[in-house]
Amino acid sequence: VVLLWRQMRASNDGTRSLRDRLRAGSAFGDSAAVHGGSPVLCVAMLDALSAVPSTGGRPGPALMHLDSLLAVAPYQFGVDFGNLVLAHLYELRGDAPAALRAVRRRPYDWDTGPLYLTTYLRAEGQLAALTGDRAGAARAYRRFLALRDGADPGMRGASDSVRVALDALDSRSTKPAPGAPR
């Protein structure tokens, strides 16, 4: 987790040696899947985070490996937030449709599914709007707002920005198309 956090913030202090330990399987693994499991997914996320900013064009092998792991992975640590990382990486590459596909592939289990649901919904709304899927964006934004109804003051800024984005979508859908009769 610390390595992922550092990598997302472009701070590579000590990440190489710890990543090598994970890759070699020498890292301590908890037998409870929620707390440990295989380091394969974490290493794949770290590799993709390292590779994506420096590659262009088609998705590289590290990104494709992470995508394939998340598409079929059984539950293990990282699956619940992994598609957010993947969507972020596709978005960095300028591939909004792939980012949207990744963010829509979220966990629906009773235990960890709700942990990141509003984060997934907000990202889905932004990416759907970016790709021209106004109905999908509005649906995700409305679900986000329903879950955040009555949020604490510290959380209201995110709700306000989603409300503004939803209002913009709604105002575009009510405007007549250019040249259409009024």
Side-chain angles (χ1 to χ4, degrees):
V1 173
V2 170
L3 290 176
L4 291 169
W5 182 79
R6 286 179 183 169
Q7 194 74 39
M8 290 293 288
R9 282 157 182 72
S11 171
N12 297 323
D13 301 337
T15 60
R16 181 171 300 275
S17 67
L18 289 172
R19 190 179 330 171
D20 289 344
R21 285 179 54 205
L22 279 173
R23 196 178 315 282
S26 64
F28 176 76
D30 191 329
S31 61
V34 172
H35 301 110
S38 170
V40 171
L41 184 58
C42 285
V43 170
M45 277 191 253
L46 290 165
D47 289 345
L49 282 163
S50 296
V52 166
S54 63
T55 59
R58 294 178 35 184
L63 185 60
M64 296 308 298
H65 178 64
L66 176 59
D67 197 339
S68 67
L69 283 176
L70 288 167
V72 298
Y75 183 79
Q76 60 182 303
F77 179 79
V79 168
D80 43 8
F81 61 83
N83 283 301
L84 287 170
V85 172
L86 183 63
H88 172 72
L89 295 174
Y90 275 126
E91 193 173 9
L92 283 175
R93 294 180 64 85
D95 192 346
L100 180 58
R101 281 191 305 275
V103 86
R104 283 181 171 163
R105 190 173 62 202
R106 58 184 171 260
Y108 289 98
D109 62 78
W110 66 273
D111 187 26
T112 60
L115 288 178
Y116 303 97
L117 184 55
T118 57
T119 305
Y120 272 105
L121 290 170
R122 185 174 183 192
E124 180 181 352
Q126 293 166 339
L127 291 163
L130 190 61
T131 61
D133 179 4
R134 290 196 329 234
R139 187 173 46 252
Y141 284 152
R142 284 188 183 99
R143 287 185 68 206
F144 173 93
L145 291 171
L147 291 170
R148 286 286 180 93
D149 187 40
D152 291 336
M155 304 299 279
R156 289 192 189 134
S159 296
D160 292 344
S161 68
V162 167
R163 244 183 234 96
V164 168
L166 181 59
D167 289 345
L169 286 171
D170 288 341
S171 70
R172 278 187 269 165
S173 65
T174 59
K175 288 183 184 176
R182 293 181 189 233

